[in-house]
Amino acid sequence: MKIAVLGSTGQTGRLVLARALARGHDVIALARRPEQVEAPASGNLRVVRADVTVPGSVATAVEGADVVVSALGITKRQDPAVLVEGARQIASAAPRVIWLTSLGMGATQGALGVVNGALLRRILRHEWKAKGLAGRAVRDAGGTTVHAGPLTGRPYRDDGRLVPAQEFRPRMIPPMAPRAGIAALMVAEAETPQRADADTVALFEHR
């Protein structure tokens, strides 16, 4: 399978990249700065310069990919419109998209309760609206959104699971999401779609 990874230089994106390569897939790493891609040397890896602000570069980069797995994020210095434009370009160019986003927004708004939901909105105020629009663009194209709680490097006990967003019950304490586990779940969904065309929540048992 040919998997394109968007956000391949970020903390989670690097793990998605490594996981896909370890599983033996042909991988396209999309990056605005290809020199920043960190991955094991592999003949199955192709690093491509792609920038949503450069018309056509994303569509060209993902040409031939079976699925795009996105761990795209932005910093406080970046324009949130990058997320929305990235989602729209990927959704229109790729046959299938798996998109990582935050629990508590979009289809999971209200999942963290009133207090924590308001706190999350304050913390993510720079990108709140953009994340919601980006997730909607992916879903409108038939893609899968993966809503994750706070991302951590903590160990976890099981392989995790993706549950439909509508089945997730609101919690006062948000479920933590190990980055390595998120990477494994997203690659597994790319390999064998279980939640295609769905909003999902990533859940894990921690040690």
Side-chain angles (χ1 to χ4, degrees):
M1 171 177 281
K2 184 174 288 187
I3 299 176
V5 180
L6 183 63
S8 59
T9 61
Q11 293 184 67
T12 306
R14 292 172 185 172
L15 295 174
V16 172
L17 197 63
R19 178 73 177 188
L21 287 170
R23 295 282 296 168
H25 299 294
D26 292 325
V27 181
I28 306 169
L30 279 61
R32 287 188 303 124
R33 298 184 177 88
E35 68 278 5
Q36 293 182 356
V37 173
E38 296 179 7
S42 170
N44 294 343
L45 174 64
R46 181 162 62 94
V47 181
V48 179
R49 186 184 302 277
D51 189 334
V52 299
T53 65
V54 178
S57 69
V58 172
T60 299
V62 302
E63 188 174 355
D66 298 299
V67 58
V68 175
V69 178
S70 172
L72 183 66
I74 60 171
T75 67
K76 294 186 182 300
R77 296 188 300 274
Q78 289 179 293
D79 184 348
V82 169
L83 278 176
V84 182
E85 190 57 30
R88 288 173 176 164
Q89 290 186 29
I90 285 296
S92 65
R96 191 156 58 96
V97 181
I98 302 170
W99 185 270
L100 179 62
T101 188
S102 299
L103 181 65
M105 58 177 44
T108 60
Q109 190 165 347
L112 302 179
V114 176
V115 175
N116 283 332
L119 180 61
L120 177 68
R121 185 162 190 156
R122 182 176 180 181
I123 292 172
L124 297 179
R125 60 186 179 276
H126 173 65
E127 58 195 275
W128 180 270
K129 183 177 180 180
K131 278 199 167 189
L133 291 172
R136 179 48 52 196
V138 169
R139 287 289 293 107
D140 286 347
T144 302
T145 60
V146 176
H147 295 255
L151 296 168
T152 75
R154 292 174 55 190
Y156 56 101
R157 187 166 56 233
D158 64 353
D159 292 333
R161 64 194 189 281
L162 295 178
V163 301
Q166 66 269 23
E167 294 180 9
F168 180 78
R169 296 292 174 262
R171 302 183 182 185
M172 291 299 295
I173 300 176
M176 307 299 279
R179 293 182 187 276
I182 290 292
L185 273 183
M186 294 179 78
V187 172
E189 179 64 22
E191 295 172 339
T192 308
Q194 300 291 327
R195 304 295 182 188
D197 195 10
D199 290 300
T200 71
V201 177
L203 296 177
F204 297 87
E205 293 293 333
H206 293 274
R207 292 177 183 171

